[in-house]
Amino acid sequence: MKKTLALLLALCMVLMSCVALADDTEVAYDTYTYHAYTTSLGNCWNPHTWETNAEDAVNSYITSPFVSMQILDSENGVYQWTYEMAESVTDVTADHQDDLTKYPVTLQEGKTAEDTTEGFVFEIKLNEKACWENGEPITADTYIESMKLLLAPEMKNYRANLYYAGESAVAGGAEFYFQGDIAYLPIGMATSDYLANGSVDDLYIDCWGFWGAEGYVDAEGNEVPQYVSVSDEVAYSADGAGDDEFSGKGLYDEYFAPGAPYESYAADYVCNTQAYEDNVDYDATVGCYKVDDYTIRYVNATYIDFNYFLTSLTSTWLVYEPLYTAGLDTSGSLVTTDYCTSKETTMAYGPYRIESLQEGKQIVYVQNENWYGYEKQEDGSLLSITPYEVDGEQIQRYQTTSVVVDVMDNAAAKQAFLKGELTSWTPEADDLLTYATSDQLYKVDETYTMSFFFNTNLDMLKAMDESKGNTNSVVLSNYTFRRAMSLAIDRAEYVTATEGYKPAYAIMNNLYFYDVYNDPTSSYRNSDEAMEAIVNLYEVEYGEGTPYATLRDAYLSINGYNLTEAKELFTQACTELVADGLYTEGDPIHVRIGWAKGALQASDTKVVEILNKQLNTALEGTGFGAIELEPIGNINNRYDAVPAGEYAIGYGAWGGAAFYPFRNFQVYCDPEQYSINEAADWDPTTETLTISIDGEDVTMTWQAWSRAMIGSGPYSAADFETKLHITAVMEEEYLKKFYRIPLAGTTSCELLAYQVSYYTEDYNIMYGFGGLELMSYNYTDAEWAEYVAEEGGVLSYE
């Protein structure tokens, strides 16, 4: 029977078996080694600066969170919060309302400090057994000093953005982090709208962001700064000769001024400034402070639900100050540290520590004997028993004694897995067909929805047809053409060339829950509001006199594919485009797609072959010539390259925030928080949407609606029925623009070796299958080596 599973181990990894520790030290007890592979090792896993999944994967072994989620009742899919670095977390807002005036918080609309009793001040009792791998205790002071380093204004740590902005930002974090700075903030609108209330003299252009101009110089060799005043007349060029006009004034007038062809881009790349006060005192400003040696309080900058605050505590900001400060480098414009860039500069406080590291080749983790969860046994082994009950009993956790991660490509990993040298392996699209019915195949949905996103700006499409390798990509400016394109794609066939993806017809899939902490069945996608949105999008009728008796019947009938309607719409689009003088009937269409950051894989080519076949089938007899989509790989940032006019179509995904879908539309609507992939198409800071709330029409910009249900937004404290209604209307109306066409939901697949077993076969989004923590071994390392030898050195998983 085929299994479905959450890969709770890092997605970039697949985890291998030996009879001794990594340094070949003989031991008196049985060992259990998980062998993994990755295409690359992280370079820096400093919790203040890490950037890639490979870097964060290191932290998943060597750190412990304040809290985590684990199985309570596997049969019924019930989860529980479990405490790790924290012993308890309590909302103490009602008892500490003075913190709401002492620290810079934004209260909910209509509220005062005196009538705010929850959602801002949280007391965290710390685990008094917690210590570093060298045995030094971790106390409240450790957390406060680590927070000071995280927010240090002279360092501008990348991961500080989680603490000075967003739902779980600490009060005063931004004021401390940006102290003495002039922050450059995108104006979030077309310049013509901005200038109604502002001055052009206050504006700057983000030259690095829009033109990729980092490293450009003037004739004297001076590099162009990231932000150039629109009044700056200094000429820069890529070669330093100064023969390209690259001046702030010239660029603004040509591109972003009112009426200029790229004025809509001003929302993301034209900035004004905000000055922050200097000499900000941490203790007086930042709401993260010590109560006693093992208690801290955290004051949130905006309202946050208790369960969502707990979710923010599934990691910590801890660093080991002696190593952190010893590695400081003050030679540059910003202070940096080499903390967590090698074994020697790393200090663990999780269940594992780094035993050895060969850069670019291998990293080995072994059990951390000073982790609070282990008890040393008479034979020298380390045993950990859950401090909570799983299915009514306490069980062993972290049976894995060591983890070995080797760098290899997928082809080498496949051979190693079949020889018993890897504990798991991620099959590619072709291999999935071979192992589709294997009992050892684990497959789990992810929150990411792969989509086409478009640049529909007519002037930019014309430019791409002239100089970017496209032919007649101007057809994408036509709404009817894009709608027909969506209906022409048979997603069920499309996903056969992917690595196990599933067809998608909407922005969010079945992994999004609107009240998961109280109701594990509260799927957004299965709510009436969300189903109605997609039924309306595809114009499916239901009820008496129709083929579908109920809303759910109508929703389940949708597959996103309608060849007949697609042909009709393509015919209509051709007529419209010819009438507008944009297209000559019968001419071929060639569109380059910004497809991937890395090199194209065989599966990418197969996917595009299927799409080209399907689109050309739909185009036959409509007046259009043949179409060819060309995928392009090795693009540093395709999400910015599409709105910048490099590509007419991009292929990519948004995902995350599975437990709070009401904030999802910020990624499409809030350029102050995210880089909008469709920035060439529309301006969500000025375009409005009207939604009926309790019988009253409410009109706001799309940006305002995307913020309305989070933080201190006007509907942040509304009931779920209201939030579902708002979110569903936004999903429907956004998809109806066809600036983005959903194609498939991503999945993670792995084959698991016979050596190990997950705790449960019943997947739950809250805890997966129990992960590495509850994984058990069917063979010791020695027994596994013997088993593989008995099988002739080659294992079968078909």
Side-chain angles (χ1 to χ4, degrees):
M1 180 179 64
K2 183 178 178 182
K3 304 169 183 176
T4 55
L5 144 120
L7 311 177
L8 292 185
L9 305 174
L11 294 181
C12 61
M13 293 185 168
V14 200
L15 300 176
M16 283 190 323
S17 225
C18 59
V19 296
L21 294 180
D23 60 0
D24 295 327
T25 301
E26 296 296 330
V27 295
Y29 52 85
D30 291 329
T31 60
Y32 303 92
T33 305
Y34 203 116
H35 283 267
Y37 74 95
T38 180
T39 56
S40 63
L41 294 175
N43 297 315
C44 176
W45 42 96
N46 178 350
H48 295 180
T49 58
W50 69 269
E51 295 189 26
T52 69
N53 287 339
E55 291 169 345
D56 190 36
V58 180
N59 285 320
S60 69
Y61 296 107
I62 65 174
T63 69
S64 288
F66 285 111
V67 299
S68 64
M69 290 178 184
Q70 198 44 274
I71 300 168
L72 178 63
D73 178 352
S74 61
E75 182 178 352
N76 295 301
V78 181
Y79 78 95
Q80 60 184 314
W81 284 110
T82 62
Y83 288 91
E84 296 291 345
M85 295 295 284
E87 288 189 354
S88 67
V89 179
T90 310
D91 187 333
V92 295
T93 306
D95 297 327
H96 296 281
Q97 292 173 324
D98 56 319
D99 281 345
L100 305 182
T101 53
K102 177 179 179 180
Y103 301 105
V105 305
T106 302
L107 298 175
Q108 291 176 285
E109 192 171 300
K111 291 270 193 178
T112 65
E114 290 73 21
D115 57 15
T116 298
T117 58
E118 63 179 8
F120 280 91
V121 186
F122 301 90
E123 189 162 282
I124 304 172
K125 295 283 188 182
L126 302 173
N127 183 343
E128 297 187 21
K129 294 181 179 179
C131 60
W132 297 101
E133 69 174 85
N134 64 0
E136 291 183 23
I138 296 173
T139 67
D141 289 323
T142 316
Y143 285 92
I144 303 307
E145 293 307 311
S146 293
M147 179 63 80
K148 290 179 181 178
L149 290 169
L150 170 65
L151 296 174
E154 68 273 16
M155 299 190 74
K156 292 294 182 287
N157 286 313
Y158 176 68
R159 288 293 160 184
N161 63 353
L162 299 174
Y163 297 91
Y164 68 71
E167 291 172 283
S168 56
V170 63
E175 286 78 1
F176 187 77
Y177 181 85
F178 288 112
Q179 63 179 285
D181 284 355
I182 296 178
Y184 293 86
L185 307 175
I187 61 175
M189 62 188 76
T191 48
S192 54
D193 297 304
Y194 172 82
L195 294 177
N197 298 300
S199 168
V200 68
D201 296 330
D202 299 329
L203 296 179
Y204 291 78
I205 304 171
D206 179 2
C207 297
W208 294 6
F210 187 74
W211 286 279
E214 184 175 6
Y216 280 27
V217 297
D218 64 15
E220 285 74 42
N222 300 308
E223 290 193 10
V224 60
Q226 180 173 1
Y227 300 98
V228 174
S229 170
V230 300
S231 61
D232 187 352
E233 298 186 18
V234 176
Y236 299 91
S237 72
D239 59 8
D243 49 6
D244 299 337
E245 182 179 85
F246 202 90
S247 66
K249 184 174 182 179
L251 294 176
Y252 174 77
D253 291 342
E254 181 176 353
Y255 290 92
F256 303 115
Y262 293 87
E263 184 190 359
S264 63
Y265 277 61
D268 289 326
Y269 298 107
V270 174
C271 307
N272 55 22
T273 59
Q274 177 178 330
Y276 284 87
E277 292 185 10
D278 205 355
N279 300 317
V280 176
D281 179 67
Y282 177 94
D283 293 331
T285 308
V286 181
C288 181
Y289 61 91
K290 172 184 176 181
V291 176
D292 58 43
D293 285 347
Y294 287 98
T295 308
I296 62 174
R297 285 200 194 108
Y298 190 103
V299 184
N300 219 62
T302 58
Y303 172 84
I304 187 170
D305 176 85
F306 181 70
N307 280 298
Y308 294 118
F309 182 71
L310 288 182
T311 302
S312 76
L313 298 182
T314 52
S315 62
T316 80
W317 57 87
L318 277 182
V319 293
Y320 184 65
E321 188 177 5
L323 284 180
Y324 195 100
T325 55
L328 291 177
D329 183 349
T330 60
S331 62
S333 58
L334 292 175
V335 177
T336 61
T337 178
D338 66 358
Y339 184 69
C340 283
T341 58
S342 67
K343 176 183 183 300
E344 293 72 26
T345 59
T346 299
M347 186 67 72
Y349 61 93
Y352 298 93
R353 59 177 175 82
I354 298 175
E355 174 70 4
S356 64
L357 172 61
Q358 299 178 57
E359 187 173 350
K361 294 182 179 180
Q362 183 190 76
I363 186 169
V364 177
Y365 307 93
V366 297
Q367 288 175 307
N368 173 13
E369 54 270 26
N370 283 317
W371 184 58
Y372 54 81
Y374 288 129
E375 292 289 340
K376 197 164 189 176
Q377 306 302 295
E378 290 185 1
D379 61 3
S381 63
L382 299 173
L383 176 67
S384 182
I385 303 296
T386 57
Y388 50 86
E389 290 190 348
V390 181
D391 291 332
E393 62 179 348
Q394 292 179 284
I395 62 174
Q396 183 176 359
R397 60 174 177 167
Y398 295 114
Q399 186 180 4
T400 301
T401 53
S402 61
V403 178
V404 179
V405 183
D406 284 297
V407 175
M408 62 178 73
D409 62 26
N410 196 269
K414 176 182 179 179
Q415 297 306 312
F417 178 75
L418 295 177
K419 291 191 293 184
E421 296 171 356
L422 286 178
T423 313
S424 63
W425 164 61
T426 301
E428 295 183 332
D430 290 342
D431 290 311
L432 279 176
L433 297 175
T434 302
Y435 299 103
T437 59
S438 174
D439 285 349
Q440 297 303 112
L441 180 65
Y442 289 77
K443 180 177 178 179
V444 61
D445 293 346
E446 297 178 318
T447 62
Y448 293 89
T449 299
M450 298 302 300
S451 305
F452 278 156
F453 54 95
F454 296 89
N455 182 328
T456 66
N457 182 289
L458 182 56
D459 290 333
M460 298 176 75
L461 289 170
K462 288 179 178 179
M464 283 185 265
D465 284 340
E466 292 176 359
S467 61
K468 300 294 183 181
N470 289 351
T471 303
N472 286 315
S473 67
V474 290
V475 299
L476 297 175
S477 67
N478 183 274
Y479 164 83
T480 310
F481 186 95
R482 299 194 306 276
R483 183 180 172 197
M485 187 175 177
S486 177
L487 291 170
I489 298 173
D490 182 353
R491 292 156 175 83
E493 181 185 16
Y494 155 84
V495 297
T496 61
T498 68
E499 297 171 353
Y501 293 176
K502 294 183 177 180
Y505 326 110
I507 290 291
M508 290 179 275
N509 64 15
N510 291 324
L511 290 183
Y512 287 85
F513 293 84
Y514 58 86
D515 189 22
V516 71
Y517 298 111
N518 300 305
D519 179 6
T521 67
S522 60
S523 165
Y524 166 75
R525 193 75 276 149
N526 290 327
S527 69
D528 286 350
E529 292 84 354
M531 288 192 292
E532 186 79 46
I534 305 307
V535 166
N536 291 343
L537 173 69
Y538 289 98
E539 300 179 343
V540 180
E541 297 182 352
Y542 64 93
E544 187 176 351
T546 73
Y548 307 108
T550 67
L551 169 62
R552 185 162 185 80
D553 291 337
Y555 173 72
L556 293 176
S557 74
I558 294 171
N559 61 16
Y561 179 57
N562 189 325
L563 181 59
T564 300
E565 186 177 359
K567 281 183 172 293
E568 293 173 353
L569 290 170
F570 273 135
T571 301
Q572 178 184 336
C574 185
T575 301
E576 294 169 352
L577 286 160
V578 171
D580 291 339
L582 296 174
Y583 178 72
T584 301
E585 188 170 335
D587 277 1
I589 302 168
H590 181 94
V591 183
R592 299 167 76 247
I593 301 177
W595 194 271
K597 182 173 184 177
L600 296 179
Q601 305 298 313
S603 59
D604 298 323
T605 303
K606 290 183 179 180
V607 162
V608 177
E609 287 176 356
I610 289 174
L611 291 171
N612 279 325
K613 180 197 69 173
Q614 292 178 351
L615 290 172
N616 279 298
T617 298
L619 287 170
E620 289 177 2
T622 66
F624 284 108
I627 191 170
E628 180 185 17
L629 304 180
E630 179 190 1
I632 306 297
N634 294 315
I635 304 171
N636 183 49
N637 189 336
R638 61 193 184 278
Y639 299 101
D640 285 346
V642 171
E646 294 296 320
Y647 302 93
I649 305 177
Y651 179 69
W654 282 110
F659 301 158
Y660 200 73
F662 310 124
R663 62 168 296 200
N664 188 277
F665 277 88
Q666 272 199 298
V667 301
Y668 309 104
C669 302
D670 193 347
E672 292 182 25
Q673 298 294 325
Y674 299 92
S675 178
I676 306 300
N677 301 163
E678 299 80 12
D681 310 327
W682 72 316
D683 183 359
T685 67
T686 58
E687 185 171 332
T688 60
L689 175 68
T690 299
I691 301 178
S692 178
I693 308 293
D694 296 328
E696 179 182 351
D697 284 350
V698 179
T699 300
M700 294 193 290
T701 66
W702 281 80
Q703 181 188 43
W705 279 117
S706 75
R707 297 174 172 182
M709 295 170 286
I710 61 177
S712 299
Y715 297 102
S716 61
D719 55 46
F720 286 125
E721 185 178 46
T722 300
K723 290 180 179 179
L724 282 169
H725 174 63
I726 294 171
T727 305
V729 171
M730 293 185 72
E731 184 175 30
E732 176 185 344
E733 295 302 319
Y734 177 76
L735 285 172
K736 282 181 176 178
K737 296 176 181 296
F738 293 97
Y739 291 153
R740 177 173 287 262
I741 297 177
L743 297 172
T746 64
T747 57
S748 290
C749 302
E750 75 168 351
L751 276 171
L752 199 64
Y754 298 121
Q755 186 187 11
V756 297
S757 295
Y758 283 107
Y759 176 82
T760 178
E761 298 292 304
D762 299 315
Y763 168 71
N764 186 291
I765 190 174
M766 308 298 275
Y767 51 72
F769 291 83
L772 185 68
E773 180 177 358
L774 300 187
M775 178 175 283
S776 62
Y777 281 72
N778 306 313
Y779 302 84
T780 66
D781 288 343
E783 291 168 344
W784 179 245
E786 184 178 349
Y787 170 77
V788 173
E790 289 174 352
E791 294 296 314
V794 179
L795 305 177
S796 174
Y797 288 91
E798 296 181 24

